[in-house]
Amino acid sequence: MGPGSATEAREMIAGESTLTLVPTFVVVAVDATGMGIILPLLPFYSQRLGATPFLLGALISAYAVCQLVAGPVVGMLSDRYGRRKVLVVSQIGTFIGFILLALAGNLTLVFLARIIDGLTSGNISVAHAYAAEHSAPATRKQALGMTSGAIGTGLLLGPALSSFLVHYGQTAPVWAAAALSLISIVATIALLPPDHPASEPLYQHRVPEPTLTRSLLGMRYAWRLLGLLIVFFFVNSMFLSQIGLFLSARFSWDGHPFGARELG
């Protein structure tokens, strides 16, 4: 095979790899849209049920703590049983959490809904892993970029949908998020081909085991990056947890308090 033929073959593989990522993009975008619908609504939805600013912060923290505890377990299970199977289970947990949130008549059920969603969350990270393993090495960065773009698309559309749907009732956006979650489950089953955890992931190449020194050096830089990310998300979470209540207390919009529609 000449240089021209090799280049054409690589381009063909890259094109096929990109096409296989389209279903992943759809699944992640739908999931992220459901998440985005809840974000501007949750402060006011919880406040209507009697939540104080402290309880609202605790509600968001409970979801994050459950993510922290369940994240490694979800990753381990996806390695053992396959990305798609764990992705479906994770999406089912999110769907149950949304249904419970829509039916919640008190804060206890709201906390339970977010705890269930947090414990089973991992659909985005598992989808990232699925995209990376089902792409050629030359297109792996593009694959991760597409899934990140899908998250951005969902978080752009979700709040806009929430601000529109809240006209039809406080629970209308939550039911819409549940419907999108159900669509995501169906799309995952119908569009994503099953993976085979027993064999090596697609396009994976064996690499030499790193030495202990290299591992320690890698950990040192990883911990620095982790520290920066912790600071960033700490500040970001403080802002997101209270911005709705702050705006509602300080501002009005067309004669009525700043609410979920304006925040969306």
Side-chain angles (χ1 to χ4, degrees), residues 216-236:
L216 291 175
L217 287 174
M219 283 296 294
R220 185 181 68 184
Y221 291 114
W223 281 109
R224 291 179 182 177
L225 179 60
L226 182 61
L228 290 174
L229 289 173
I230 287 173
V231 172
F232 169 77
F233 284 111
F234 177 79
V235 175
N236 192 51

Side-chain angles (χ1 to χ4, degrees), residues 13 17 132-142 202-205:
I13 292 172
S17 180
E133 291 176 358
H134 287 73
S135 57
T139 60
R140 191 154 295 156
K141 291 182 179 178
Q142 181 183 1
L202 196 60
Y203 299 114
Q204 180 172 314
H205 296 281

Side-chain angles (χ1 to χ4, degrees), residues 189-222:
I189 296 172
L191 299 179
L192 297 188
D195 44 358
H196 305 286
S199 58
E200 285 193 5
L202 196 60
Y203 299 114
Q204 180 172 314
H205 296 281
R206 293 187 179 276
V207 295
E209 289 292 330
T211 64
L212 179 60
T213 304
R214 287 174 60 191
S215 296
L216 291 175
L217 287 174
M219 283 296 294
R220 185 181 68 184
Y221 291 114

Side-chain angles (χ1 to χ4, degrees), residues 2 7 27 58 78 114 116 127 129 141 157 178 200 218 235 250 256 264:
T7 302
V27 169
S78 69
R114 301 308 289 161
I116 291 173
K141 291 182 179 178
L157 296 175
E200 285 193 5
V235 175
R250 295 278 304 259
H256 62 84

Side-chain angles (χ1 to χ4, degrees), residues 55-257:
L55 285 177
L56 178 60
L59 185 63
I60 294 173
S61 295
Y63 175 81
V65 168
C66 291
Q67 276 189 315
L68 178 66
V69 172
V73 178
V74 170
M76 179 187 67
L77 292 176
S78 69
D79 287 337
R80 180 175 299 178
Y81 298 108
R83 310 296 184 199
R84 195 181 76 155
K85 290 180 181 178
V86 173
L87 183 58
V88 170
V89 173
S90 174
Q91 290 169 322
I92 290 173
T94 297
F95 175 69
I96 293 172
F98 284 155
I99 293 293
L100 190 57
L101 184 63
L103 297 174
N106 53 64
L107 281 176
T108 302
L109 289 180
V110 175
F111 269 96
L112 181 59
R114 301 308 289 161
I115 287 171
I116 291 173
D117 194 4
L119 288 175
T120 58
S121 69
N123 39 357
I124 300 297
S125 59
V126 174
H128 266 297
Y130 183 96
E133 291 176 358
H134 287 73
S135 57
T139 60
R140 191 154 295 156
K141 291 182 179 178
Q142 181 183 1
L144 296 177
M146 282 187 69
T147 52
S148 297
I151 296 171
T153 301
L155 293 180
L156 172 69
L157 296 175
L161 281 173
S162 185
S163 65
F164 171 75
L165 292 172
V166 77
H167 288 289
Y168 301 97
Q170 283 279 346
T171 59
V174 188
W175 285 115
L180 284 173
S181 182
L182 183 60
I183 291 171
S184 179
I185 294 169
V186 175
T188 300
I189 296 172
L191 299 179
L192 297 188
D195 44 358
H196 305 286
S199 58
E200 285 193 5
L202 196 60
Y203 299 114
Q204 180 172 314
H205 296 281
R206 293 187 179 276
V207 295
E209 289 292 330
T211 64
L212 179 60
T213 304
R214 287 174 60 191
S215 296
L216 291 175
L217 287 174
M219 283 296 294
R220 185 181 68 184
Y221 291 114
W223 281 109
R224 291 179 182 177
L225 179 60
L226 182 61
L228 290 174
L229 289 173
I230 287 173
V231 172
F232 169 77
F233 284 111
F234 177 79
V235 175
N236 192 51
S237 298
M238 287 180 64
F239 172 78
L240 288 177
S241 67
Q242 302 299 325
I243 183 63
L245 301 184
F246 170 77
L247 293 174
S248 178
R250 295 278 304 259
F251 300 100
S252 61
W253 187 279
D254 288 339
H256 62 84

